[in-house]
Structures are given as C-alpha cells and as structure tokens.
Amino acid sequence: MAPWWALQLASGAKSFADNPLIGSRTLNRCGLHVRRVRLAQSLGQSRRRRLRHLASEQDRASFDRDGFVEIRDFLRPDIFARLRDGVLDNAWAAREMVQGDAITRRIAVDRQMLDIVPEVRALRDDPRWRGLIRYAGSFDAEPLLYVQSILTHVHDTRPDPQEQLHADTFHPTVKAWLFLTDVADDEGPFVYVPGSHRASPARLEWERAKSLSSDLDRLSSRGSLRIEPEELPGLGLPEPRSFAVPANTLVVADTSGFHARGRSTRPSTRVEIWAYSRRNPFLPWTGLDVLSWPGASERAVAAIWKVRDRLHKAGWLGHPWQDAGLKRPAER
Ligand SMILES: O=C(O)CCC(=O)C(=O)O
Ligand SMILES: [Fe+2]
C-alpha cells in the first residue's frame, strides 16, 4: 500500500485515520500536514488570480475578505418563483443520508430536471453564478448540482454532527447555496466564521497541533477538523455569522473556512439548489475539467451514485446515500 499512500499526498486525500503517512505524527512533526496546507493554499491563490475576470470586483472583494459572498434577491423575482415552484412541486428521484437527528436529501439536477424546469438551466448558465463558483473554487470547472433539503429533528437521537464548527478539508474548495425557502435563525441556518478561509500563521499553528493530536474525534480524524467556538478568538477570528436569510439568497463559500449548520430548535425544512466543486488541490492549472464537457455534469451525479452503489454492494465502501424513491424536495 505504501506507494498508494505516498501518491495520495499529492491529492486532496485528507484522512489522518486512513492514510498512515497523512496521519504520521513523526512526519507531521517535521511539517508534512502544514506544508500540504500551505502549498495547496498558495496554488489556490494563484489559480484564483487567473480566474479574477470571472467575478466582479465587488464580489471578489467580499469573498477575499470573508471567505463567502452573500447575494440577496439573486434571481429576478418572477424567475425565482418559477424555479422554486417547478422544483418544489414535482417529485424527483431522491437519495437520503441520516446524520444524527437530521436527514439530508439530495436530488440530482439532471437532464430531466433541466428540461422540466428551464429556470434551473438558466441558473446553471448564469454568468454571475458560474463565475463566482469558479473563482471561489479556484478552478474553471463545472460544479455538481443538486437540490438539497435539510430536514431537522426527524429522529429522536443525538444531534446532527454538522452542527459543530468545522473545516471540510485542508485546501480551498467551494460550496454554494441558493435558498429556495426562507431560513430562520433557529431553523438550522448555514453559519460561517468570516475570514476563516485564510491560512494565517495562527491557523497554521492550530493545523499543526491538530495533526499531532492523538485524540481527534471521528470526523476530525478523517480530515474535517472540528473547532470549538471558544478557540476562535485565539486564532484572531470573530464569532460565526449566521445566514438567516430570505429565499432567493445565494451564498458561495470556501468551506475550508470554519462553518456549520446552526442549531434548529424545532423541526424545520431548508431547501436549496446546492453546488459543490472539488478537484485535486495541487493541480497548477485551472482548466482541463471532465465535468465541463458538454452534457457531462448533468449525468455525473447519477453516475457517481451508481458507482458507489456497486462498490457498496461489493462490500468495498460504506454508502450513506440511500435510495429514497420519488420525493418532493420539502416532503417530510
Ligand atoms: O448545510 C449546512 O448548513 C452546512 C453543512 C456543511 O457543513 C457542509 O455542507 O459542508
Ligand atoms: Fe461542512
């Protein structure tokens, strides 16, 4: 396995628990983890500089400062209303994952949805949407698109682990949410710590300490490092900002910054068009992206799920995304 583990060092592999090189305290004492963070950060910055033309100066300034951009009233109201109704009023092939007491439901934005709800296609092709996601993600790459629903307090069990502040991974990466429903502050809004996308000296020191720690919780040990709110001031970071926002708000964020899903105090349903893009952080170039081939991105999600189903059946892979049949996005 050693050559495979070594190759993974040049990829987005992030699990301290699954790769003995990434998790090696000896190597991390010599600076392996922090070097990967720094190199990925500087390559990401360099790719972003080459993609500056894709986003407006104002959007870039917000993103560079905060690690996110929030745009209210993103679509024209009549177009947004048609998009929301078209998506919410139909039943689509859905997958669901249970985490704690919450269910995350995902529906692929595939060819069928693009045909039935043309406003979704218009969103996918909207230059501001396209450009901002590419700039934030630091790649000229087509993101994977889903309709995502967060249903809280479905099960009577431990809380949803996404409620803990965390970084998804160690390198620049993007997720985007166009909220189709209003999100109240006590209904599990997205929260983000402004400025936490930067690899500041204090953050690098914190990364180093984590990479040497022998008692990481399960998700941290798999490379999505958890942080306690009390630790933020020590890193020179402010309190998290909560995105309690009206429908038709777009948030694009670098989720290597600290973020979470805020508490929900009662059963709630949040629905969004959700975009995700992640490539090998050590690629020096911005393009050459397979998902950007014509027709590829709208088939990709179904293909990914199919491959995972097969690997799961063969016993090679845990696969949390269960087939949930046809569901309307906000159905409980
Ligand atoms: O859905 C949210 O509000 C954030 C969940 C999260 O941590 C993520 O999508 O990476
Ligand atoms: Fe996350």
Side-chain angles (χ1 to χ4, degrees):
M1 287 296 274
W4 174 241
W5 290 328
L7 270 179
Q8 284 193 330
L9 293 178
S11 79
K14 60 178 183 172
S15 175
F16 298 102
D18 300 312
N19 181 317
L21 300 178
I22 292 174
S24 159
R25 273 187 278 287
T26 311
L27 292 176
N28 288 336
R29 214 168 285 122
C30 299
L32 174 65
H33 174 65
V34 166
R35 266 179 224 196
R36 289 180 86 218
V37 175
R38 288 173 61 168
L39 179 59
Q41 185 75 22
S42 80
L43 285 163
Q45 292 301 4
S46 137
R47 288 188 307 266
R48 278 188 188 133
R49 276 194 295 277
R50 277 170 278 154
L51 298 173
R52 316 174 66 234
H53 60 283
L54 295 178
S56 72
E57 198 174 327
Q58 189 197 342
D59 288 346
R60 274 189 279 119
S62 303
F63 179 82
D64 294 346
R65 183 186 63 234
D66 296 328
F68 62 79
V69 183
E70 176 197 324
I71 304 171
R72 300 220 171 184
D73 304 312
F74 183 69
L75 296 176
R76 231 175 57 195
D78 55 321
I79 297 179
F80 175 74
R82 284 205 301 275
L83 179 143
R84 183 196 55 209
D85 294 348
V87 169
L88 296 186
D89 294 348
N90 283 297
W92 314 93
R95 296 268 174 154
E96 293 181 351
M97 171 176 69
V98 179
Q99 277 186 312
D101 61 1
I103 290 183
T104 302
R105 177 179 297 154
R106 286 193 192 153
I107 294 165
V109 173
D110 56 8
R111 183 68 171 276
Q112 187 197 16
M113 188 182 296
L114 296 171
D115 288 343
I116 294 176
V117 194
E119 292 78 15
V120 176
R121 178 177 275 122
L123 171 69
R124 182 196 66 178
D125 298 337
D126 181 305
R128 193 171 181 197
W129 161 274
R130 285 172 56 88
L132 205 44
I133 290 173
R134 283 162 171 73
Y135 178 75
S138 80
F139 283 105
D140 187 4
E142 190 62 31
L144 297 173
L145 278 193
Y146 304 80
V147 174
Q148 175 171 272
S149 313
I150 314 293
L151 314 166
T152 69
H153 296 286
V154 183
H155 300 288
D156 190 13
T157 174
R158 66 193 162 82
D160 171 8
Q162 301 288 353
E163 286 181 7
Q164 274 180 295
L165 282 175
H166 64 278
D168 283 347
T169 188
F170 66 92
H171 58 82
T173 182
V174 67
K175 287 179 179 171
W177 296 254
L178 176 70
F179 295 103
L180 301 188
T181 48
D182 292 339
V183 187
D185 198 42
D186 59 353
E187 289 185 333
F190 176 60
V191 306
Y192 193 94
V193 178
S196 62
H197 61 312
R198 264 189 290 277
S200 65
R203 170 70 178 270
L204 290 171
E205 194 42 53
W206 182 87
E207 293 278 340
R208 181 179 154 81
K210 289 285 174 190
S211 73
L212 299 177
S213 166
S214 55
D215 63 348
L216 295 177
D217 62 274
R218 188 178 65 89
L219 291 168
S220 292
S221 75
R222 297 175 65 189
S224 301
L225 294 173
R226 265 50 195 166
I227 188 167
E228 295 301 325
E230 299 76 48
E231 295 178 82
L232 295 172
L235 293 178
L237 292 169
E239 303 226 318
R241 156 84 205 277
S242 160
F243 292 91
V245 292
N248 199 15
T249 299
L250 171 66
V251 175
V252 179
D254 178 347
T255 53
S256 68
F258 297 122
H259 65 281
R261 182 173 302 153
R263 274 283 155 76
S264 68
T265 52
R266 53 199 148 104
S268 60
T269 306
R270 199 185 88 192
V271 186
E272 59 238 7
I273 306 276
W274 187 73
Y276 167 86
S277 177
R278 193 171 295 173
R279 294 179 76 195
N280 183 327
F282 300 110
L283 294 175
W285 56 79
T286 60
L288 301 175
D289 169 52
V290 177
L291 289 179
S292 301
W293 293 357
S297 70
E298 62 216 47
R299 293 197 189 93
V301 172
I304 291 168
W305 278 337
K306 219 173 266 167
V307 169
R308 284 202 180 177
D309 287 346
R310 293 231 176 101
L311 292 174
H312 179 62
K313 251 197 196 143
W316 285 34
L317 189 77
H319 183 14
W321 291 103
Q322 298 297 320
D323 195 331
L326 290 179
K327 291 253 170 94
R328 283 192 308 277
E331 177 177 334
R332 287 184 78 98

